[in-house]
Every structure is written in C-alpha cells, then in structure tokens.
Amino acid sequence: WFSDNSFDKVYCESVLAILEGDDLPKLLTEINRVLKPTGTLLFNETVWTSNASQEIIEKVNAFCKANYQIIQANPDYPRLQDWVNLLQTSGFDVHSKREIAKIDGDLKGSQTGNRLFLAYS
C-alpha cells in the first residue's frame, strides 16, 4: 500500500474504461488518495460516442468480453460528462478535458470513438 499524498503524478493509458462494476470508482478514489494535493492524474480512454445506444454498448461489450476477456468501454460512464461527474465524485477537480471527436481511416463512422481526457486533482 502507498501512503496518502505520496505521488506527484499518476498516468493511466487505456486502463480505466475497461474496469467493470464498482472497480472504476474505487480505483479513482484510491488514485486521489495517493496523489499529493497538487498532484496530477492524466489519462486517455475510449468512451462511447453519442450515437451508440445502450443496446449497442451491451452487444459490443458482450462480444469483447467473450472474445478478449475485457470490455470495450465502461457502460456505466459512457459519455464525457459521465466521466467528469465520476471524477468530481471521486474527489478530483477537472481542469482540462480534450475530446477527439472523429477518427480517420477505417474506424470512421464506427459506434465507438476515442476521447482524450486530462484530469487534474
């Protein structure tokens, strides 16, 4: 276990959104606990685009879970504002967030999209 306020920065690369159930809020609360008061959490995640229905989210996640043992992206926090709310509930002050709205190439028009979030405590 790490002591409270022991890290200046925590960086997560495509880890948070594949957590299921209450694992995601628990991990964010733990990250907030170990960050110094002036510490920074930086992460980027895949979240669902606004045109992905709950039915699509469930189907894609079920397929990914069956074939890869992980979900594509958390269904409980599907949109940008859901993540902002979760971060704030977990004790973070969200100072910056960036969204990559469109993906070029073969994924254009797909049901999922990439979003980059920068969250600061």
PDB file of all heavy atoms in Angstrom, residues 9-19 24 27-28 31 40-47 70-72 83 100 114-118:
ATOM      1  N   LYS A   9       2.314  12.555  -9.749  1.00  0.00           N
ATOM      2  CA  LYS A   9       1.538  12.300 -10.960  1.00  0.00           C
ATOM      3  C   LYS A   9       1.172  10.830 -11.039  1.00  0.00           C
ATOM      4  O   LYS A   9       1.922   9.963 -10.611  1.00  0.00           O
ATOM      5  CB  LYS A   9       2.354  12.646 -12.206  1.00  0.00           C
ATOM      6  CG  LYS A   9       2.628  14.115 -12.351  1.00  0.00           C
ATOM      7  CD  LYS A   9       3.371  14.407 -13.639  1.00  0.00           C
ATOM      8  CE  LYS A   9       3.492  15.884 -13.800  1.00  0.00           C
ATOM      9  NZ  LYS A   9       4.794  16.412 -13.639  1.00  0.00           N
ATOM     10  N   VAL A  10       0.016  10.572 -11.625  1.00  0.00           N
ATOM     11  CA  VAL A  10      -0.416   9.225 -11.982  1.00  0.00           C
ATOM     12  C   VAL A  10      -0.854   9.305 -13.438  1.00  0.00           C
ATOM     13  O   VAL A  10      -1.633  10.183 -13.815  1.00  0.00           O
ATOM     14  CB  VAL A  10      -1.582   8.722 -11.099  1.00  0.00           C
ATOM     15  CG1 VAL A  10      -2.123   7.404 -11.625  1.00  0.00           C
ATOM     16  CG2 VAL A  10      -1.131   8.585  -9.651  1.00  0.00           C
ATOM     17  N   TYR A  11      -0.322   8.383 -14.256  1.00  0.00           N
ATOM     18  CA  TYR A  11      -0.676   8.334 -15.670  1.00  0.00           C
ATOM     19  C   TYR A  11      -1.275   6.970 -15.978  1.00  0.00           C
ATOM     20  O   TYR A  11      -0.694   5.944 -15.638  1.00  0.00           O
ATOM     21  CB  TYR A  11       0.559   8.581 -16.540  1.00  0.00           C
ATOM     22  CG  TYR A  11       0.259   8.475 -18.009  1.00  0.00           C
ATOM     23  CD1 TYR A  11      -0.446   9.481 -18.656  1.00  0.00           C
ATOM     24  CD2 TYR A  11       0.661   7.368 -18.741  1.00  0.00           C
ATOM     25  CE1 TYR A  11      -0.751   9.378 -20.004  1.00  0.00           C
ATOM     26  CE2 TYR A  11       0.360   7.266 -20.088  1.00  0.00           C
ATOM     27  CZ  TYR A  11      -0.334   8.279 -20.714  1.00  0.00           C
ATOM     28  OH  TYR A  11      -0.639   8.172 -22.035  1.00  0.00           O
ATOM     29  N   CYS A  12      -2.440   6.966 -16.602  1.00  0.00           N
ATOM     30  CA  CYS A  12      -3.116   5.725 -16.995  1.00  0.00           C
ATOM     31  C   CYS A  12      -3.360   5.753 -18.492  1.00  0.00           C
ATOM     32  O   CYS A  12      -3.976   6.684 -19.000  1.00  0.00           O
ATOM     33  CB  CYS A  12      -4.456   5.583 -16.281  1.00  0.00           C
ATOM     34  SG  CYS A  12      -4.336   5.418 -14.507  1.00  0.00           S
ATOM     35  N   GLU A  13      -2.897   4.728 -19.164  1.00  0.00           N
ATOM     36  CA  GLU A  13      -3.057   4.608 -20.611  1.00  0.00           C
ATOM     37  C   GLU A  13      -4.048   3.495 -20.924  1.00  0.00           C
ATOM     38  O   GLU A  13      -3.722   2.321 -20.791  1.00  0.00           O
ATOM     39  CB  GLU A  13      -1.700   4.303 -21.251  1.00  0.00           C
ATOM     40  CG  GLU A  13      -1.736   3.918 -22.716  1.00  0.00           C
ATOM     41  CD  GLU A  13      -2.142   5.055 -23.631  1.00  0.00           C
ATOM     42  OE1 GLU A  13      -1.812   6.202 -23.342  1.00  0.00           O
ATOM     43  OE2 GLU A  13      -2.803   4.767 -24.635  1.00  0.00           O
ATOM     44  N   SER A  14      -5.269   3.862 -21.280  1.00  0.00           N
ATOM     45  CA  SER A  14      -6.286   2.899 -21.709  1.00  0.00           C
ATOM     46  C   SER A  14      -6.505   1.777 -20.706  1.00  0.00           C
ATOM     47  O   SER A  14      -6.526   0.602 -21.063  1.00  0.00           O
ATOM     48  CB  SER A  14      -5.911   2.321 -23.079  1.00  0.00           C
ATOM     49  OG  SER A  14      -5.830   3.349 -24.030  1.00  0.00           O
ATOM     50  N   VAL A  15      -6.680   2.157 -19.439  1.00  0.00           N
ATOM     51  CA  VAL A  15      -6.886   1.177 -18.365  1.00  0.00           C
ATOM     52  C   VAL A  15      -8.230   1.388 -17.678  1.00  0.00           C
ATOM     53  O   VAL A  15      -8.950   0.432 -17.404  1.00  0.00           O
ATOM     54  CB  VAL A  15      -5.757   1.276 -17.307  1.00  0.00           C
ATOM     55  CG1 VAL A  15      -6.045   0.419 -16.102  1.00  0.00           C
ATOM     56  CG2 VAL A  15      -4.409   0.932 -17.912  1.00  0.00           C
ATOM     57  N   LEU A  16      -8.581   2.595 -17.410  1.00  0.00           N
ATOM     58  CA  LEU A  16      -9.736   2.892 -16.571  1.00  0.00           C
ATOM     59  C   LEU A  16     -11.055   2.441 -17.190  1.00  0.00           C
ATOM     60  O   LEU A  16     -11.896   1.857 -16.504  1.00  0.00           O
ATOM     61  CB  LEU A  16      -9.786   4.383 -16.249  1.00  0.00           C
ATOM     62  CG  LEU A  16      -8.574   4.941 -15.492  1.00  0.00           C
ATOM     63  CD1 LEU A  16      -8.689   6.446 -15.352  1.00  0.00           C
ATOM     64  CD2 LEU A  16      -8.410   4.265 -14.155  1.00  0.00           C
ATOM     65  N   ALA A  17     -11.259   2.679 -18.461  1.00  0.00           N
ATOM     66  CA  ALA A  17     -12.562   2.400 -19.089  1.00  0.00           C
ATOM     67  C   ALA A  17     -12.868   0.916 -19.223  1.00  0.00           C
ATOM     68  O   ALA A  17     -14.021   0.551 -19.418  1.00  0.00           O
ATOM     69  CB  ALA A  17     -12.651   3.066 -20.459  1.00  0.00           C
ATOM     70  N   ILE A  18     -11.876   0.044 -19.102  1.00  0.00           N
ATOM     71  CA  ILE A  18     -12.153  -1.389 -19.206  1.00  0.00           C
ATOM     72  C   ILE A  18     -12.475  -2.015 -17.853  1.00  0.00           C
ATOM     73  O   ILE A  18     -12.764  -3.205 -17.770  1.00  0.00           O
ATOM     74  CB  ILE A  18     -10.999  -2.159 -19.893  1.00  0.00           C
ATOM     75  CG1 ILE A  18      -9.702  -2.044 -19.108  1.00  0.00           C
ATOM     76  CG2 ILE A  18     -10.849  -1.698 -21.341  1.00  0.00           C
ATOM     77  CD1 ILE A  18      -8.577  -2.921 -19.625  1.00  0.00           C
ATOM     78  N   LEU A  19     -12.460  -1.200 -16.797  1.00  0.00           N
ATOM     79  CA  LEU A  19     -12.840  -1.699 -15.477  1.00  0.00           C
ATOM     80  C   LEU A  19     -14.359  -1.779 -15.392  1.00  0.00           C
ATOM     81  O   LEU A  19     -15.065  -0.936 -15.925  1.00  0.00           O
ATOM     82  CB  LEU A  19     -12.295  -0.784 -14.385  1.00  0.00           C
ATOM     83  CG  LEU A  19     -10.767  -0.702 -14.311  1.00  0.00           C
ATOM     84  CD1 LEU A  19     -10.353   0.314 -13.261  1.00  0.00           C
ATOM     85  CD2 LEU A  19     -10.151  -2.055 -14.021  1.00  0.00           C
ATOM     86  N   LEU A  24     -13.981   0.798 -11.100  1.00  0.00           N
ATOM     87  CA  LEU A  24     -13.549   2.103 -11.605  1.00  0.00           C
ATOM     88  C   LEU A  24     -13.673   3.195 -10.543  1.00  0.00           C
ATOM     89  O   LEU A  24     -12.678   3.879 -10.257  1.00  0.00           O
ATOM     90  CB  LEU A  24     -14.312   2.472 -12.874  1.00  0.00           C
ATOM     91  CG  LEU A  24     -14.021   3.841 -13.477  1.00  0.00           C
ATOM     92  CD1 LEU A  24     -12.540   4.021 -13.770  1.00  0.00           C
ATOM     93  CD2 LEU A  24     -14.855   4.035 -14.743  1.00  0.00           C
ATOM     94  N   LEU A  27     -11.002   2.597  -7.855  1.00  0.00           N
ATOM     95  CA  LEU A  27      -9.639   2.915  -8.273  1.00  0.00           C
ATOM     96  C   LEU A  27      -9.414   4.419  -8.315  1.00  0.00           C
ATOM     97  O   LEU A  27      -8.373   4.912  -7.872  1.00  0.00           O
ATOM     98  CB  LEU A  27      -9.325   2.286  -9.624  1.00  0.00           C
ATOM     99  CG  LEU A  27      -7.914   2.559 -10.152  1.00  0.00           C
ATOM    100  CD1 LEU A  27      -6.841   2.083  -9.172  1.00  0.00           C
ATOM    101  CD2 LEU A  27      -7.717   1.932 -11.510  1.00  0.00           C
ATOM    102  N   LEU A  28     -10.381   5.179  -8.835  1.00  0.00           N
ATOM    103  CA  LEU A  28     -10.215   6.630  -8.879  1.00  0.00           C
ATOM    104  C   LEU A  28     -10.118   7.230  -7.480  1.00  0.00           C
ATOM    105  O   LEU A  28      -9.321   8.141  -7.244  1.00  0.00           O
ATOM    106  CB  LEU A  28     -11.363   7.273  -9.660  1.00  0.00           C
ATOM    107  CG  LEU A  28     -11.300   7.065 -11.170  1.00  0.00           C
ATOM    108  CD1 LEU A  28     -12.572   7.572 -11.827  1.00  0.00           C
ATOM    109  CD2 LEU A  28     -10.069   7.733 -11.768  1.00  0.00           C
ATOM    110  N   ILE A  31      -6.609   6.452  -6.346  1.00  0.00           N
ATOM    111  CA  ILE A  31      -5.643   7.336  -7.007  1.00  0.00           C
ATOM    112  C   ILE A  31      -5.673   8.715  -6.361  1.00  0.00           C
ATOM    113  O   ILE A  31      -4.623   9.310  -6.087  1.00  0.00           O
ATOM    114  CB  ILE A  31      -5.923   7.419  -8.521  1.00  0.00           C
ATOM    115  CG1 ILE A  31      -5.586   6.088  -9.196  1.00  0.00           C
ATOM    116  CG2 ILE A  31      -5.137   8.565  -9.156  1.00  0.00           C
ATOM    117  CD1 ILE A  31      -6.052   5.991 -10.647  1.00  0.00           C
ATOM    118  N   THR A  40      -1.291  15.388 -10.097  1.00  0.00           N
ATOM    119  CA  THR A  40      -1.999  15.365 -11.369  1.00  0.00           C
ATOM    120  C   THR A  40      -2.303  13.935 -11.784  1.00  0.00           C
ATOM    121  O   THR A  40      -1.437  13.073 -11.729  1.00  0.00           O
ATOM    122  CB  THR A  40      -1.127  16.019 -12.469  1.00  0.00           C
ATOM    123  OG1 THR A  40      -0.814  17.347 -12.087  1.00  0.00           O
ATOM    124  CG2 THR A  40      -1.859  16.035 -13.804  1.00  0.00           C
ATOM    125  N   LEU A  41      -3.526  13.706 -12.214  1.00  0.00           N
ATOM    126  CA  LEU A  41      -3.919  12.463 -12.856  1.00  0.00           C
ATOM    127  C   LEU A  41      -4.100  12.769 -14.339  1.00  0.00           C
ATOM    128  O   LEU A  41      -4.864  13.662 -14.705  1.00  0.00           O
ATOM    129  CB  LEU A  41      -5.242  11.931 -12.285  1.00  0.00           C
ATOM    130  CG  LEU A  41      -5.938  10.825 -13.084  1.00  0.00           C
ATOM    131  CD1 LEU A  41      -5.073   9.564 -13.153  1.00  0.00           C
ATOM    132  CD2 LEU A  41      -7.302  10.522 -12.490  1.00  0.00           C
ATOM    133  N   LEU A  42      -3.382  12.040 -15.174  1.00  0.00           N
ATOM    134  CA  LEU A  42      -3.515  12.175 -16.628  1.00  0.00           C
ATOM    135  C   LEU A  42      -3.929  10.819 -17.171  1.00  0.00           C
ATOM    136  O   LEU A  42      -3.339   9.811 -16.797  1.00  0.00           O
ATOM    137  CB  LEU A  42      -2.186  12.577 -17.267  1.00  0.00           C
ATOM    138  CG  LEU A  42      -1.658  13.932 -16.847  1.00  0.00           C
ATOM    139  CD1 LEU A  42      -0.198  13.851 -16.533  1.00  0.00           C
ATOM    140  CD2 LEU A  42      -1.927  14.919 -17.939  1.00  0.00           C
ATOM    141  N   PHE A  43      -4.916  10.794 -18.050  1.00  0.00           N
ATOM    142  CA  PHE A  43      -5.308   9.528 -18.642  1.00  0.00           C
ATOM    143  C   PHE A  43      -5.998   9.743 -19.971  1.00  0.00           C
ATOM    144  O   PHE A  43      -6.484  10.820 -20.262  1.00  0.00           O
ATOM    145  CB  PHE A  43      -6.197   8.723 -17.687  1.00  0.00           C
ATOM    146  CG  PHE A  43      -7.550   9.314 -17.409  1.00  0.00           C
ATOM    147  CD1 PHE A  43      -8.647   8.930 -18.145  1.00  0.00           C
ATOM    148  CD2 PHE A  43      -7.712  10.233 -16.388  1.00  0.00           C
ATOM    149  CE1 PHE A  43      -9.906   9.449 -17.874  1.00  0.00           C
ATOM    150  CE2 PHE A  43      -8.957  10.752 -16.100  1.00  0.00           C
ATOM    151  CZ  PHE A  43     -10.056  10.363 -16.848  1.00  0.00           C
ATOM    152  N   ASN A  44      -5.974   8.713 -20.786  1.00  0.00           N
ATOM    153  CA  ASN A  44      -6.774   8.726 -22.009  1.00  0.00           C
ATOM    154  C   ASN A  44      -7.532   7.416 -22.084  1.00  0.00           C
ATOM    155  O   ASN A  44      -7.064   6.381 -21.655  1.00  0.00           O
ATOM    156  CB  ASN A  44      -5.926   8.977 -23.254  1.00  0.00           C
ATOM    157  CG  ASN A  44      -5.089   7.794 -23.618  1.00  0.00           C
ATOM    158  OD1 ASN A  44      -4.295   7.314 -22.836  1.00  0.00           O
ATOM    159  ND2 ASN A  44      -5.257   7.304 -24.814  1.00  0.00           N
ATOM    160  N   GLU A  45      -8.747   7.499 -22.580  1.00  0.00           N
ATOM    161  CA  GLU A  45      -9.648   6.350 -22.582  1.00  0.00           C
ATOM    162  C   GLU A  45     -10.541   6.352 -23.811  1.00  0.00           C
ATOM    163  O   GLU A  45     -10.804   7.393 -24.402  1.00  0.00           O
ATOM    164  CB  GLU A  45     -10.549   6.374 -21.337  1.00  0.00           C
ATOM    165  CG  GLU A  45      -9.827   6.142 -20.059  1.00  0.00           C
ATOM    166  CD  GLU A  45      -9.106   4.808 -19.985  1.00  0.00           C
ATOM    167  OE1 GLU A  45      -9.530   3.834 -20.656  1.00  0.00           O
ATOM    168  OE2 GLU A  45      -8.112   4.731 -19.263  1.00  0.00           O
ATOM    169  N   THR A  46     -11.038   5.195 -24.142  1.00  0.00           N
ATOM    170  CA  THR A  46     -12.080   5.062 -25.153  1.00  0.00           C
ATOM    171  C   THR A  46     -13.419   5.112 -24.442  1.00  0.00           C
ATOM    172  O   THR A  46     -13.613   4.432 -23.444  1.00  0.00           O
ATOM    173  CB  THR A  46     -11.953   3.719 -25.894  1.00  0.00           C
ATOM    174  OG1 THR A  46     -10.688   3.669 -26.533  1.00  0.00           O
ATOM    175  CG2 THR A  46     -13.056   3.562 -26.924  1.00  0.00           C
ATOM    176  N   VAL A  47     -14.290   5.952 -24.934  1.00  0.00           N
ATOM    177  CA  VAL A  47     -15.659   6.016 -24.420  1.00  0.00           C
ATOM    178  C   VAL A  47     -16.608   5.941 -25.604  1.00  0.00           C
ATOM    179  O   VAL A  47     -16.184   5.997 -26.758  1.00  0.00           O
ATOM    180  CB  VAL A  47     -15.927   7.285 -23.573  1.00  0.00           C
ATOM    181  CG1 VAL A  47     -15.047   7.311 -22.348  1.00  0.00           C
ATOM    182  CG2 VAL A  47     -15.764   8.542 -24.394  1.00  0.00           C
ATOM    183  N   ILE A  70     -12.151  -8.788 -21.808  1.00  0.00           N
ATOM    184  CA  ILE A  70     -12.304  -7.415 -21.298  1.00  0.00           C
ATOM    185  C   ILE A  70     -13.396  -6.717 -22.100  1.00  0.00           C
ATOM    186  O   ILE A  70     -13.684  -7.092 -23.236  1.00  0.00           O
ATOM    187  CB  ILE A  70     -11.000  -6.579 -21.368  1.00  0.00           C
ATOM    188  CG1 ILE A  70     -10.516  -6.444 -22.812  1.00  0.00           C
ATOM    189  CG2 ILE A  70      -9.934  -7.140 -20.466  1.00  0.00           C
ATOM    190  CD1 ILE A  70      -9.365  -5.477 -22.985  1.00  0.00           C
ATOM    191  N   ILE A  71     -13.991  -5.709 -21.507  1.00  0.00           N
ATOM    192  CA  ILE A  71     -14.993  -4.928 -22.224  1.00  0.00           C
ATOM    193  C   ILE A  71     -14.308  -3.886 -23.107  1.00  0.00           C
ATOM    194  O   ILE A  71     -13.127  -3.569 -22.909  1.00  0.00           O
ATOM    195  CB  ILE A  71     -15.985  -4.253 -21.251  1.00  0.00           C
ATOM    196  CG1 ILE A  71     -15.259  -3.308 -20.286  1.00  0.00           C
ATOM    197  CG2 ILE A  71     -16.815  -5.294 -20.523  1.00  0.00           C
ATOM    198  CD1 ILE A  71     -16.176  -2.480 -19.418  1.00  0.00           C
ATOM    199  N   GLN A  72     -15.054  -3.350 -24.051  1.00  0.00           N
ATOM    200  CA  GLN A  72     -14.533  -2.284 -24.908  1.00  0.00           C
ATOM    201  C   GLN A  72     -14.417  -0.977 -24.128  1.00  0.00           C
ATOM    202  O   GLN A  72     -13.404  -0.317 -24.159  1.00  0.00           O
ATOM    203  CB  GLN A  72     -15.447  -2.094 -26.122  1.00  0.00           C
ATOM    204  CG  GLN A  72     -15.175  -0.856 -26.952  1.00  0.00           C
ATOM    205  CD  GLN A  72     -13.808  -0.856 -27.599  1.00  0.00           C
ATOM    206  OE1 GLN A  72     -13.287  -1.891 -27.955  1.00  0.00           O
ATOM    207  NE2 GLN A  72     -13.224   0.317 -27.743  1.00  0.00           N
ATOM    208  N   TRP A  83     -17.941  10.877 -17.227  1.00  0.00           N
ATOM    209  CA  TRP A  83     -16.580  10.782 -16.672  1.00  0.00           C
ATOM    210  C   TRP A  83     -16.258  11.997 -15.809  1.00  0.00           C
ATOM    211  O   TRP A  83     -15.657  11.869 -14.753  1.00  0.00           O
ATOM    212  CB  TRP A  83     -15.565  10.628 -17.802  1.00  0.00           C
ATOM    213  CG  TRP A  83     -15.483   9.218 -18.273  1.00  0.00           C
ATOM    214  CD1 TRP A  83     -16.320   8.604 -19.162  1.00  0.00           C
ATOM    215  CD2 TRP A  83     -14.556   8.243 -17.838  1.00  0.00           C
ATOM    216  NE1 TRP A  83     -15.945   7.299 -19.314  1.00  0.00           N
ATOM    217  CE2 TRP A  83     -14.868   7.049 -18.525  1.00  0.00           C
ATOM    218  CE3 TRP A  83     -13.484   8.251 -16.956  1.00  0.00           C
ATOM    219  CZ2 TRP A  83     -14.133   5.877 -18.353  1.00  0.00           C
ATOM    220  CZ3 TRP A  83     -12.750   7.091 -16.789  1.00  0.00           C
ATOM    221  CH2 TRP A  83     -13.079   5.925 -17.468  1.00  0.00           C
ATOM    222  N   ILE A 100     -11.413  13.958 -28.809  1.00  0.00           N
ATOM    223  CA  ILE A 100     -11.109  13.696 -30.207  1.00  0.00           C
ATOM    224  C   ILE A 100     -12.411  13.198 -30.821  1.00  0.00           C
ATOM    225  O   ILE A 100     -12.818  12.063 -30.591  1.00  0.00           O
ATOM    226  CB  ILE A 100      -9.985  12.658 -30.344  1.00  0.00           C
ATOM    227  CG1 ILE A 100      -8.729  13.141 -29.634  1.00  0.00           C
ATOM    228  CG2 ILE A 100      -9.718  12.375 -31.824  1.00  0.00           C
ATOM    229  CD1 ILE A 100      -7.662  12.103 -29.498  1.00  0.00           C
ATOM    230  N   ASN A 114     -12.658   7.541 -29.858  1.00  0.00           N
ATOM    231  CA  ASN A 114     -11.606   7.805 -28.889  1.00  0.00           C
ATOM    232  C   ASN A 114     -11.763   9.188 -28.301  1.00  0.00           C
ATOM    233  O   ASN A 114     -12.063  10.136 -29.005  1.00  0.00           O
ATOM    234  CB  ASN A 114     -10.222   7.701 -29.535  1.00  0.00           C
ATOM    235  CG  ASN A 114      -9.865   6.288 -29.869  1.00  0.00           C
ATOM    236  OD1 ASN A 114     -10.291   5.374 -29.178  1.00  0.00           O
ATOM    237  ND2 ASN A 114      -9.105   6.083 -30.918  1.00  0.00           N
ATOM    238  N   ARG A 115     -11.533   9.290 -27.026  1.00  0.00           N
ATOM    239  CA  ARG A 115     -11.575  10.565 -26.339  1.00  0.00           C
ATOM    240  C   ARG A 115     -10.323  10.666 -25.491  1.00  0.00           C
ATOM    241  O   ARG A 115      -9.902   9.685 -24.872  1.00  0.00           O
ATOM    242  CB  ARG A 115     -12.782  10.669 -25.424  1.00  0.00           C
ATOM    243  CG  ARG A 115     -14.111  10.405 -26.082  1.00  0.00           C
ATOM    244  CD  ARG A 115     -14.506  11.579 -26.967  1.00  0.00           C
ATOM    245  NE  ARG A 115     -15.907  11.546 -27.299  1.00  0.00           N
ATOM    246  CZ  ARG A 115     -16.384  11.029 -28.408  1.00  0.00           C
ATOM    247  NH1 ARG A 115     -15.597  10.473 -29.266  1.00  0.00           N
ATOM    248  NH2 ARG A 115     -17.671  11.063 -28.661  1.00  0.00           N
ATOM    249  N   LEU A 116      -9.746  11.812 -25.436  1.00  0.00           N
ATOM    250  CA  LEU A 116      -8.605  12.035 -24.571  1.00  0.00           C
ATOM    251  C   LEU A 116      -9.037  12.940 -23.443  1.00  0.00           C
ATOM    252  O   LEU A 116      -9.597  14.005 -23.679  1.00  0.00           O
ATOM    253  CB  LEU A 116      -7.458  12.690 -25.343  1.00  0.00           C
ATOM    254  CG  LEU A 116      -6.244  13.109 -24.529  1.00  0.00           C
ATOM    255  CD1 LEU A 116      -5.567  11.886 -23.954  1.00  0.00           C
ATOM    256  CD2 LEU A 116      -5.282  13.906 -25.387  1.00  0.00           C
ATOM    257  N   PHE A 117      -8.804  12.511 -22.233  1.00  0.00           N
ATOM    258  CA  PHE A 117      -9.175  13.289 -21.067  1.00  0.00           C
ATOM    259  C   PHE A 117      -7.933  13.614 -20.275  1.00  0.00           C
ATOM    260  O   PHE A 117      -7.087  12.765 -20.060  1.00  0.00           O
ATOM    261  CB  PHE A 117     -10.105  12.499 -20.135  1.00  0.00           C
ATOM    262  CG  PHE A 117     -11.315  11.998 -20.814  1.00  0.00           C
ATOM    263  CD1 PHE A 117     -11.370  10.696 -21.258  1.00  0.00           C
ATOM    264  CD2 PHE A 117     -12.402  12.825 -21.008  1.00  0.00           C
ATOM    265  CE1 PHE A 117     -12.502  10.218 -21.879  1.00  0.00           C
ATOM    266  CE2 PHE A 117     -13.524  12.355 -21.636  1.00  0.00           C
ATOM    267  CZ  PHE A 117     -13.580  11.054 -22.069  1.00  0.00           C
ATOM    268  N   LEU A 118      -7.832  14.803 -19.802  1.00  0.00           N
ATOM    269  CA  LEU A 118      -6.783  15.189 -18.872  1.00  0.00           C
ATOM    270  C   LEU A 118      -7.476  15.695 -17.622  1.00  0.00           C
ATOM    271  O   LEU A 118      -8.235  16.645 -17.671  1.00  0.00           O
ATOM    272  CB  LEU A 118      -5.907  16.305 -19.454  1.00  0.00           C
ATOM    273  CG  LEU A 118      -5.248  15.997 -20.804  1.00  0.00           C
ATOM    274  CD1 LEU A 118      -4.461  17.213 -21.277  1.00  0.00           C
ATOM    275  CD2 LEU A 118      -4.356  14.788 -20.710  1.00  0.00           C
TER     276      LEU A 118
END
